[in-house]
Structures are given as structure tokens and as C-alpha cells.
């Protein structure tokens, strides 16, 4: 006879016969409230084949949480990745600002940095032609400071009231829901062609700056003009710059297109792998500091977010460095939930009257409440300050703190009754810089000093090298070829004539259109001296942090491979071994070597340079392997260095490769490693597939 006691024991220990897998012996599995769970495989039923019971709180909690795992994605900057690290002051500037991060050399604070694309959804790709977000949260002892910027120093609009229009125009067209993550369509170009203030940023967007090789190899900018305020209350204007120690580098358009097919996560994977291999990305933080007197002498308004300050006019002074050395433990909890607010500033930093910045101060706070569902989003660990914080704000959805006492208001005199009176404002707390305005009238007008929309677009274009100008024009031609409204194309060309006549002529030729009458500017543009800082190719490019792809086959020379691997490690160059099969190859000395990638899954667009270590027999076999032929042909077409061991000649011939400075027999490791970050631009007119 079975007793109730034994029946209970039997049910507790029962394992069904439905093929479910129970795993025991691990850390204790519990509900969100800490209740231990005995079975994570089966719902509670009324009989083995009966209905599921509503009382199954384990099931309900699990499904409820799953149903709400996704939060609304960001309206813009939805697709991104991030990393933890630290900021270190390398040059103290207490004479300029009382901000705690700049008071002492060597002082460090934790940071979290998020990179992103602007236009695409969270499910789009890493490599579209787009502006990239570059946002840094400093966890300082005086609270969080969020420097929320982009990889371009200027923006499309001057006033925040136009931001919804801009984003509606660049997002997938409302009636058809495409194109995704692309500006090459009617509504975007219609908008910008009617908003000449956007033309400076359009030049950046059509340039190589919109196609970064890596998040690690792009600059960041605070975009707006801010203020530094020192302990005596003296103020200076300041622009913030992040300069990558890995150097600037971009992809070609053809590479970006092919990379998006080979690896839509290319940029986030690159950041992850760099950190995992301890090749920690690093940027220098620089500042351009100037006063009101200097600002008043310029032909442009320093509060205009569509303008930059040339480094030749105000040099960038390096004051610190940021190192990203830890990838998030959980993408959702940290990268997805991180909330950046331009309004997060600390004593020593203040706002200006930039009308785009002023609108952002409201918009971001409102957005985070919408995305994260609660006014208490600051209590999420990734957003919480690392210093103590206290105030009289209470309650709200998802409140995680347990405030004590009755002091939820001030002034109060509860301390006279022996109770806590709560926190109070302190004299050393944040104070806005006292300021006046020229005209106290309430007006909906735009300052006349914001009226020049062409001079800096001209400056940017004329600061590019010949190669970069070719790429910019190709970008314009491609995008405008996707525009179906001819009057929009014509209007854009009319603006290009004001920027630069040769630019407009070459764009019109690419489109097969006649040049229209030039647009009439609100203010005549002026010629500004070219700035080398605006050109990527004018900068020195380091080789550390680049990626070398080595194609190997059976019989490959062990000594040559070891020489390359050793040299790459010493130079800080990452290496991936590619073989016909991922199982690997047997080298000349009999060593069996596993491959990192199969040739069909690792096209050369993923690498900065390639090496071919083949036997002549294997090279001949690979001539019938389309992926191998494309591997070589694309590397050649994308102007990269191709080092080989001589025996690879049959494959080179099959891929149509001609000998030049970038195609050579490897004799020493330096032959190839010294060229790993180089493009051989003289080759560009001899190859197909150029962007």
C-alpha cells in the first residue's frame, strides 16, 4: 500500500518519460525572488496530458519575463556595441576647469563607451555608409559625465526642432519600409537639398569617414561647443576630440558592401576580438579651448553645430587618454540598457546656447524614460553613478532603493524632532555659469551668424586628397543614382556648384546630367585654408591593431609561417589562418595546424593585408576554387598588400594580379608587416570593383 507520504516523495523525485533532459548538480536554480526550482523542463499540469495550471508561478514568471525581454530600441543609434575601460588624465588643467577628472595627472575614473550607427535598426548591419555614434560615460567622484558625440564633428541641422524631420527623412520610407540603414533614397536627399545647412555634414557622410575600418580606428567628437569653468568662475569655450592611437582608417565602398555580406557584425566583432586578445583600443582626449574674444572674430558662429573649428586655427591639446579593456559581461544589461544623457555634466563643465544642444538636453532624458520604462532608469547598474547619490525623489516604477523616514520634501524641520531631515544642496555643488543674452525678446528666429552653409563644406572637400575626393564624388553619384525624383538630384547639384565647381561637374558627369544654375546662398561662402586634420590619408597610419589574413595549404613552409607569426606578434598585428578546410593543413615539417577560418567563410575584405603560403601544386588546385580566386582578386582590387612565397604564382595569375609595390615575394617578415596598413592607390585605375 502506498501512503500519502511516500506518494509525495515519489512525485517530488519523479522524472517523466517524455525524453526531457534534467540536469542536476549545478548551482541552485531559483525564481527571480529566490525560490528554488525543482523542475525547469515541465509545466505544472493536471495529469500527464491534462491542462496546465494557472497556479504554476514558475511557468508564469519565466514566460512573463521572456515576453518582456526586449525593450523598445533606440529611435536612432539603435545598433551599437560597447566596452568598459578607464579614462586617465595625462595633463592637468585646473586653470581651465574645476572638473575633477582634469585636476591631477594620473587620476583615473571608470568609463563605459558605446559605438553605434545612426540610421539603421538594431537588426541592421555594422558597415553602412552612416554617421557613427561615439558616447562615453565617465563615472567620476562628482557624478556621471556623459560626453555624447559622433565620429564626425558636425551635424546636419542647427536647431533641435528639425531633428524629427531629419530622422524621418533618413529612416526607411514610411509607405514601403525600406531602404534600411541607408541614406540613398528620395526622402533623405529631398530633405537635405532643401536644407543647405546640412551640406557640410553631407560632405562628411559621402566621404571615407562614413565607412570606418574599425570603431578602434575612428575619431570621436563632442560636436557641440561646451564651456570649461574653473574654480574662480572664469569660463572658456571648449570642443572635445577623441583621437585613436590605432590611427585613422576606412574601408573602400566595395569592401563595405562585401563585408556586410560576409560578416554583418564586423565592427562589433573587431572590437570584441581586440579586447579579448588584450590589444586594448586607446584614444587620446583632446580639447580646443578659446575665449569669447576669439570666437567673435570668426566668420562663423562657434555655437553652430554644423561648423567645426579647424585645428590649424585652434590646435587640439591632449589632456587625457581612454583605454577600453573589458567587454561587457552581458550585452543587454549593459550595452542595451546604458542610457546616455548630454545633460549629465559635472562641476567645471557647462552648456552653451547652441540651439541643437539645448534641444538634446530635454530629448535624451525623455527618450530614456520611454525606452527603459521608468524614471528610475538611473538605478540600473550600468547607469548608476559610482559615487553616493541621494535626493528626495521617491517611488516610481521599478524603484530598487528603500528610502527611510518621512523627509521627502524641503524645507523641513524634522531634525528638530530627532528625525532625519534628508539631503540638502551644498555650496560647492554644480552652478550654471551666469550669462546674459544680447536681446531679451522671445523670438522664433535664427541668428544671422548661422547663415553661411557652404564655406565649411567647401573647406572639407578641398582638404581631401585626390583619392578621397574621388571616393566622395563616387558616394554622391551612387546615392543620387538611387534617388528617383530627378528634381531632387538637380537641386543637390545646384548646391554642389556653390561648394566647388569641379565637384559639381564631376558629380553631374557621373549622373549623366547637365549642370543646373547654382543655388543662391543666404550668405556668400568664403575660402578657408585647407586643413590636413580633415583628411584620413594625410595622417600617419600605425600597423599595430591591423589584421593579417594568411592563406595556407598542405606543404606550406613552416619557417616562413613562423617568421610571419612571430613578427606579427611583435608588431601588434592580429593574424588569422585561412585554409581550404577549417580542419587545417599539414605543414612542410609534418606539423598539423588547425585553421581559424575556411576560405569560403573568410574573404579578404575582412583583412588589412594578405599572405599566400602555398605549394605550386596546391596553388594550381585553388585556381578552381572560386572563393580562393576571389580572396586574391578582391585583395588586389581593394589595393591591399599581397605577400606570397613564389609558389602562389598560378593563383595570382588566375586572379588577374599584376606585380607592383604591393604584390611581392616575402623574404622577411618586415616585407609584409610594414605594408599591412597601406593601400596602393596607384593601382586603383588598373582594377575593377573600386568604390
Amino acid at each position: 500500500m502506498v501512503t500519502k507520504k511516500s506518494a509525495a516523495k515519489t512525485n517530488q523525485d519523479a522524472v517523466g518519460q517524455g525524453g526531457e533532459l534534467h540536469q542536476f548538480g549545478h548551482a541552485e536554480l531559483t525564481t527571480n525572488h529566490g525560490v528554488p526550482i525543482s523542475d525547469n523542463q515541465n509545466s505544472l499540469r493536471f495529469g500527464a496530458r491534462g491542462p496546465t495550471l494557472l497556479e504554476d508561478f514558475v511557468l508564469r514568471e519565466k514566460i512573463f519575463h521572456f515576453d518582456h525581454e526586449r525593450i523598445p530600441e533606440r529611435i536612432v543609434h539603435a545598433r551599437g556595441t560597447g566596452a568598459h575601460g578607464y579614462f586617465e588624465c595625462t595633463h592637468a588643467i585646473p586653470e581651465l576647469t574645476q572638473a575633477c577628472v582634469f585636476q591631477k595627472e594620473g587620476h583615473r575614473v571608470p568609463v563605459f563607451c558605446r559605438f553605434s550607427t545612426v540610421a539603421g535598426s538594431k537588426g541592421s548591419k555594422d558597415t553602412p555608409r552612416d554617421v557613427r555614434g561615439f558616447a562615453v560615460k565617465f563615472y567620476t567622484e562628482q557624478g556621471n559625465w556623459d560626453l555624447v558625440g559622433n565620429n564626425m564633428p558636425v551635424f546636419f541641422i542647427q536647431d533641435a526642432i528639425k531633428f524629427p524631420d531629419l530622422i524621418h527623412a533618413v529612416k526607411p520610407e514610411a509607405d514601403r519600409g525600406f531602404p534600411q540603414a541607408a541614406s540613398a533614397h528620395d526622402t533623405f536627399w529631398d530633405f537635405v537639398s532643401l536644407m543647405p545647412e546640412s551640406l557640410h555634414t553631407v560632405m562628411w557622410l559621402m566621404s571615407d569617414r562614413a565607412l570606418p575600418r574599425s570603431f578602434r580606428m575612428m575619431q570621436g567628437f563632442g560636436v557641440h561647443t561646451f564651456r570649461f569653468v574653473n574654480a574662480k568662475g572664469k569660463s572658456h569655450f571648449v570642443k572635445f576630440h577623441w583621437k585613436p592611437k590605432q590611427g585613422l582608417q576606412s574601408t573602400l565602398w566595395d569592401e563595405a558592401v562585401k563585408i556586410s555580406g560576409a560578416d554583418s557584425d564586423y565592427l562589433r566583432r573587431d572590437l570584441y576580438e581586440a579586447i579579448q586578445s588584450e590589444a586594448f583600443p586607446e584614444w587620446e582626449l583632446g580639447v580646443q579651448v578659446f575665449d569669447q574674444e576669439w570666437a567673435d572674430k570668426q566668420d562663423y558662429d562657434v555655437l553652430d553645430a554644423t561648423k567645426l573649428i579647424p585645428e590649424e586655427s585652434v590646435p587640439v591639446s591632449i589632456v587625457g587618454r581612454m583605454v577600453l579593456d573589458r567587454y561587457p559581461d552581458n550585452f543587454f544589461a549593459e550595452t542595451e540598457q546604458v542610457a546616455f544623457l548630454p545633460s549629465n555634466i559635472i562641476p567645471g563643465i557647462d552648456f552653451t546656447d547652441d540651439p541643437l544642444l539645448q534641444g538634446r538636453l530635454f530629448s535624451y532624458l525623455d527618450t530614456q524614460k520611454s525606452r527603459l520604462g521608468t524614471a528610475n532608469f538611473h538605478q540600473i547598474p550600468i547607469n548608476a553613478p559610482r559615487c553616493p547619490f541621494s535626493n528626495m525623489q521617491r517611488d516610481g516604477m521599478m524603484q530598487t532603493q528603500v528610502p527611510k523616514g518621512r523627509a521627502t520634501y524641503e524645507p523641513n524641520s524634522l531634525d528638530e524632532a530627532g528625525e532625519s531631515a534628508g539631503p540638502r544642496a551644498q555650496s560647492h555643488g554644480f552652478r550654471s555659469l551666469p550669462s546674459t543674452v544680447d536681446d531679451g525678446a522671445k523670438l522664433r528666429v535664427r541668428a544671422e551668424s548661422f547663415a553661411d552653409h557652404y564655406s565649411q563644406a567647401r573647406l572639407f572637400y578641398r582638404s581631401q586628397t585626390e583619392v578621397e575626393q574621388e571616393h566622395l564624388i563616387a558616394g554622391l553619384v551612387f546615392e543620387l543614382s538611387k534617388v528617383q525624383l530627378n528634381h531632387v538630384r538637380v537641386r543637390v547639384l545646384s548646391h554642389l556648384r556653390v561648394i566647388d565647381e569641379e565637384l559639381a561637374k564631376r558629380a553631374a558627369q557621373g549622373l549623366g546630367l547637365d549642370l543646373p544654375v547654382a543655388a543662391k546662398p543666404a550668405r556668400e561662402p568664403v575660402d578657408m585654408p585647407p586643413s590636413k586634420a580633415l583628411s584620413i590619408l594625410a595622417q600617419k597610419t600605425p600597423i599595430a591593431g591591423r589584421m593579417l589574413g594568411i592563406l595556407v595549404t598542405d606543404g606550406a613552409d613552416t619557417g616562413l609561417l613562423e617568421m610571419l607569426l612571430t613578427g606579427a606578434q611583435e608588431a601588434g598585428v592580429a593574424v588569422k589562418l585561412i585554409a581550404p578546410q577549417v580542419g587545417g593543413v599539414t605543414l612542410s615539417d609534418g606539423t598539423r595546424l588547425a585553421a581559424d577560418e575556411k576560405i569560403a567563410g573568410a574573404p579578404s575584405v575582412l583583412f588589412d593585408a594578405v599572405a599566400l603560403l602555398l605549394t605550386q601544386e596546391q596553388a594550381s588546385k585553388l585556381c578552381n576554387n572560386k572563393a580562393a580566386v576571389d580572396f586574391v582578386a578582391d585583395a588586389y582590387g581593394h589595393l591591399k598588400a599581397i605577400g606570397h612565397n613564389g609558389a602562389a604564382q598560378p593563383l595570382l595569375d588566375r586572379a588577374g594580379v599584376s606585380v607592383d609595390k604591393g604584390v611581392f615575394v616575402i623574404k622577411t617578415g618586415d616585407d609584409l608587416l610594414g605594408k599591412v596598413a597601406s593601400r596602393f592607390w596607384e593601382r586603383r585605375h588598373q582594377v575593377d570593383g573600386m568604390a
Side-chain angles (χ1 to χ4, degrees):
M1 182 176 180
V2 180
T3 65
K4 290 184 178 180
K5 181 175 182 181
S6 61
K9 184 177 188 301
T10 301
N11 289 339
Q12 178 180 332
D13 296 337
V15 176
Q17 302 301 313
E20 68 271 38
L21 176 64
H22 291 266
Q23 295 181 321
F24 300 106
H26 296 266
E28 186 172 70
L29 181 68
T30 75
T31 68
N32 286 336
H33 302 280
V35 179
I37 296 173
S38 62
D39 188 338
N40 194 41
Q41 305 301 316
N42 301 291
S43 303
L44 184 63
R45 298 180 180 87
F46 190 76
R49 299 183 65 196
T52 300
L53 299 180
L54 188 61
E55 72 179 66
D56 188 352
F57 63 89
V58 175
L59 168 69
R60 286 189 288 118
E61 180 188 89
K62 189 174 182 179
I63 295 297
F64 172 82
H65 195 279
F66 172 78
D67 288 345
H68 297 273
E69 280 183 359
R70 297 295 173 260
I71 61 178
E73 69 176 37
R74 293 165 170 87
I75 299 297
V76 288
H77 297 274
R79 183 173 180 83
T81 191
H84 295 274
Y86 62 86
F87 173 78
E88 178 181 4
C89 178
T90 58
H91 177 69
I93 48 173
E95 71 280 7
L96 294 174
T97 176
Q98 60 181 313
C100 56
V101 292
F102 300 122
Q103 297 307 297
K104 183 179 180 181
E105 292 180 13
H107 178 60
R108 290 186 179 184
V109 296
V111 299
F112 186 81
C113 182
R114 185 177 185 271
F115 306 103
S116 56
T117 54
V118 172
S121 68
K122 199 171 76 171
S124 59
K125 59 188 180 182
D126 278 358
T127 52
R129 180 182 292 279
D130 199 358
V131 179
R132 297 305 193 283
F134 195 128
V136 182
K137 186 181 290 290
F138 298 75
Y139 301 96
T140 86
E141 57 267 38
Q142 290 184 307
N144 291 352
W145 171 33
D146 293 353
L147 184 53
V148 193
N150 289 329
N151 73 326
M152 301 180 186
V154 290
F155 202 61
F156 295 94
I157 52 175
Q158 296 174 326
D159 192 306
I161 200 171
K162 297 304 299 174
F163 190 71
D165 298 304
L166 167 67
I167 300 306
H168 288 166
V170 76
K171 283 285 189 176
E173 297 194 0
D175 60 343
R176 61 206 68 180
F178 63 85
Q180 175 66 247
S183 54
H185 58 99
D186 287 351
T187 57
F188 173 76
W189 285 97
D190 183 39
F191 177 80
V192 300
S193 70
L194 294 166
M195 296 284 292
E197 68 198 64
S198 68
L199 293 172
H200 186 193
T201 306
V202 167
M203 292 291 101
W204 284 77
L205 183 64
M206 294 300 105
S207 79
D208 293 343
R209 297 280 185 153
L211 303 170
R213 152 69 179 82
S214 166
F215 290 134
R216 300 177 293 119
M217 299 168 194
M218 70 181 192
Q219 289 179 309
F221 303 90
V223 179
H224 305 287
T225 299
F226 292 88
R227 287 188 183 274
F228 271 158
V229 183
N230 66 16
K232 297 180 179 179
K234 183 174 177 56
S235 166
H236 290 81
F237 290 121
V238 60
K239 290 270 196 180
F240 293 104
H241 296 245
W242 292 109
K243 292 182 174 287
K245 294 295 289 290
Q246 296 77 217
L248 285 172
Q249 190 163 336
S250 65
T251 64
L252 302 179
W253 171 246
D254 189 62
E255 282 182 294
V257 170
K258 290 176 177 176
I259 288 171
S260 70
D263 185 358
S264 59
D265 302 309
Y266 178 66
L267 295 184
R268 61 173 66 185
R269 191 187 310 279
D270 173 85
L271 180 67
Y272 174 83
E273 291 182 348
I275 292 174
Q276 296 305 105
S277 64
E278 299 187 355
F280 300 133
E282 183 175 340
W283 288 260
E284 293 179 317
L285 178 63
V287 294
Q288 288 178 299
V289 180
F290 53 98
D291 58 20
Q292 186 68 57
E293 182 180 2
W294 184 90
D296 291 340
K297 295 177 182 177
Q298 306 313 304
D299 293 324
Y300 53 91
D301 196 316
V302 300
L303 303 186
D304 180 351
T306 68
K307 306 296 188 294
L308 57 80
I309 297 175
E311 294 186 29
E312 289 78 7
S313 299
V314 179
V316 175
S317 300
I318 303 302
V319 295
R321 69 185 187 117
M322 177 175 68
V323 178
L324 300 182
D325 58 7
R326 182 169 66 86
Y327 205 74
D329 294 318
N330 184 278
F331 186 90
F332 177 83
E334 298 172 278
T335 308
E336 187 62 21
Q337 288 197 126
V338 68
F340 293 96
L341 303 173
S343 53
N344 276 357
I345 57 175
I346 56 176
I349 299 169
D350 206 349
F351 310 120
T352 62
D353 294 334
D354 173 346
L356 180 60
L357 174 60
Q358 292 290 313
R360 292 179 74 201
L361 299 180
F362 163 78
S363 176
Y364 278 62
L365 181 62
D366 187 60
T367 294
Q368 304 306 349
K369 164 61 177 68
S370 175
R371 287 193 66 242
L372 299 173
T374 172
N376 291 314
F377 67 84
H378 61 284
Q379 296 180 20
I380 299 172
I382 191 64
N383 297 320
R386 307 291 172 86
C387 60
F389 67 100
S390 60
N391 51 54
M392 293 177 180
Q393 296 169 18
R394 294 289 188 272
D395 306 338
M397 188 181 296
M398 289 181 272
Q399 172 60 250
T400 64
Q401 296 181 323
V402 186
K404 298 180 180 179
R406 295 191 288 173
T408 58
Y409 61 96
E410 63 133 345
N412 71 63
S413 60
L414 296 177
D415 55 333
E416 296 180 23
E419 299 182 37
S420 170
R424 292 292 189 275
Q426 304 295 321
S427 60
H428 60 266
F430 180 86
R431 292 176 179 270
S432 296
L433 183 74
S435 63
T436 58
V437 294
D438 296 333
D439 186 345
K442 293 181 179 180
L443 303 169
R444 285 190 180 271
V445 298
R446 190 166 302 191
E448 185 181 347
S449 56
F450 279 46
D452 179 5
H453 304 316
Y454 297 92
S455 296
Q456 292 213 351
R458 177 183 295 177
L459 164 66
F460 181 80
Y461 177 73
R462 294 182 179 178
S463 297
Q464 306 303 296
T465 64
E466 179 184 349
V467 169
E468 290 169 309
Q469 289 181 348
E470 289 178 7
H471 292 173
L472 194 156
I473 293 166
L476 283 165
V477 171
F478 174 86
E479 298 251 331
L480 291 172
S481 295
K482 294 288 186 179
V483 171
Q484 298 177 354
L485 301 175
N486 192 59
H487 72 274
V488 172
R489 298 192 198 106
V490 171
R491 191 159 57 229
V492 173
L493 289 173
S494 74
H495 291 301
L496 296 182
R497 293 196 70 174
V498 184
I499 295 171
D500 184 272
E501 189 67 23
E502 184 64 19
L503 164 65
K505 179 180 178 181
R506 293 171 66 183
Q509 288 174 344
L511 292 167
L513 297 175
D514 294 330
L515 276 176
V517 175
K520 182 173 178 56
R523 175 184 288 184
E524 287 298 321
V526 298
D527 290 327
M528 302 176 68
S531 170
K532 291 184 67 174
L534 301 181
S535 164
I536 293 177
L537 297 185
Q539 315 301 315
K540 184 177 180 180
T541 306
I543 65 173
R546 298 312 188 271
M547 176 73 76
L548 172 65
I550 304 179
L551 177 59
V552 294
T553 61
D554 288 337
D557 187 329
T558 306
L560 184 55
L561 178 58
E562 289 181 346
M563 178 181 68
L564 284 176
L565 293 176
T566 300
Q569 185 176 20
E570 293 174 351
V573 174
V575 174
K576 284 195 175 180
L577 299 178
I578 304 104
Q581 295 178 316
V582 75
V585 296
T586 301
L587 301 178
S588 60
D589 66 350
T591 302
R592 186 66 184 172
L593 185 68
D596 296 308
E597 298 278 0
K598 181 180 185 293
I599 180 65
S604 60
V605 290
L606 303 179
F607 308 106
D608 296 293
V610 300
L612 310 176
L613 304 188
L614 320 173
T615 64
Q616 191 164 3
E617 178 185 1
Q618 293 294 329
S620 297
K621 286 184 177 180
L622 288 178
C623 288
N624 297 317
N625 184 320
K626 186 176 186 304
V629 175
D630 288 346
F631 183 89
V632 178
D634 277 348
Y636 185 68
H638 297 144
L639 319 179
K640 295 174 182 178
I642 304 175
H644 62 95
N645 62 345
Q649 194 61 48
L651 183 58
L652 292 169
D653 292 341
R654 178 69 177 82
V657 172
S658 301
V659 175
D660 59 27
K661 293 180 181 179
V663 181
F664 50 88
V665 175
I666 302 170
K667 296 180 180 178
T668 69
D670 290 342
D671 290 344
L672 178 57
L673 294 171
K675 300 180 176 69
V676 74
S678 300
R679 301 268 192 183
F680 296 87
W681 299 109
E682 62 274 14
R683 190 191 299 165
R684 70 188 187 278
H685 298 305
Q686 305 169 19
V687 298
D688 297 324
M690 281 290 296

